[in-house]
Amino acid sequence: MPPMKWLRNVFPLVLGMTLIASPVLAQSGLDALSRRSDLFGWEAVGKVTIDNTGYCTGVLIAPDLVLTAGHCIFDRDAKRPRAPSELTFVAGQTGDSSIATRPVARMIADPQYAPFAPLSAQTVRHDVALLQLAAPIPSSTAAWFRVGAAGGKGTQVSVVSYARGRSSELSWQRNCTVFGHAQGVIGFDCDVDHGSSGAPVFDRSGVSAGQRAQIVSLVSSGGRKNGQVQVYGMELPAIVAQLKSNLRSGRGVISGSEAPAKSARILAPDARRASEPGKPRILRGGGSGAKFLRP
């Protein structure tokens, strides 16, 4: 099937590489989760801080596993993966308090995510990373979410995220809509901004029947056109299953306190050369680093 028009119109949006304060933008349909009681049920959504210079949004999918955007674990300027020690997961931050804080011990990006490549449907499709925490966060403290399949055009979804102008508290958009879904890329009209990279997109259709919300995508890129936000994410089930398998086997895992050197070779998914003894094999990953577009 040829690419759909909306799929060719992927807007660049680098979310989460700044902590610079800015005025709160006029938002529609966003609820601020500014009190501990507001966080009930959303404690597993947190901030992935990046060496005290930036942040993304992440979400627990197991007591010690955080799902976020792939470009969050790469340093675009230095052209290298970040060291796990540069990242920390802060669950349920509200102001100066949080539910739990854990350093990242190991991490892995989708092996098909090309590092530092220009933004495209292909980079969005594979913009996923899995972080393993140094210690688990008990489910009694922050109950993790399961990953599920996204619906088609017209499906109602929900997003919980941090973003510029609201970096000290989570915001919840209860309802936004899928405007396109094809070839592994999903388009949403959810209200996000810088800092929302990796934010979980939820399907809450089963909540009325007593089922918990499921994560169906992550915020990867987007922009504003004619005053409307258009955000893009990916299908998750197959990617997450592969990342979990690779994490167990050690294939492509980035570990240790030191980031690979700038000149370190990033291996393509089909590379067969064994890594050096005692050093993790780094597969293809990356981030786009494009600018958020405004009208």
Side-chain angles (χ1 to χ4, degrees), residues 99-162:
I99 303 300
T101 300
R102 298 287 189 275
V104 174
R106 304 195 303 158
M107 58 193 187
I108 186 171
D110 182 340
Q112 295 189 61
Y113 185 39
F116 325 120
L119 184 68
S120 67
Q122 174 69 8
T123 59
V124 170
R125 190 178 294 119
H126 297 287
D127 188 11
V128 184
L130 193 59
L131 317 179
Q132 185 167 38
L133 305 179
I137 299 175
S139 295
S140 58
T141 300
W144 49 274
F145 290 94
R146 297 185 184 276
V147 171
K153 184 177 180 180
T155 299
Q156 293 294 297
V157 291
S158 186
V159 174
V160 180
S161 68
Y162 293 96

Side-chain angles (χ1 to χ4, degrees), residues 4-35:
M4 300 177 66
K5 182 178 180 180
W6 70 268
L7 192 56
R8 296 196 301 266
N9 199 30
V10 174
F11 288 91
L13 170 62
V14 167
L15 301 160
M17 293 304 134
T18 178
L19 288 174
I20 299 173
S22 65
V24 177
L25 300 173
Q27 309 287 1
S28 60
L30 285 173
D31 293 335
L33 307 183
S34 55
R35 297 174 298 181

Side-chain angles (χ1 to χ4, degrees), residues 8 27 29 42 52 74 77 84 121 141 168 182-183 238 261 268:
R8 296 196 301 266
Q27 309 287 1
W42 302 115
N52 297 318
F74 289 86
D77 293 333
T141 300
S168 62
Q183 300 179 24

Side-chain angles (χ1 to χ4, degrees), residues 274-295:
S275 59
E276 296 179 30
K279 293 185 179 180
R281 183 168 179 243
I282 303 169
L283 298 182
R284 186 172 291 273
S288 56
K291 184 179 180 181
F292 186 86
L293 300 182
R294 299 198 175 279

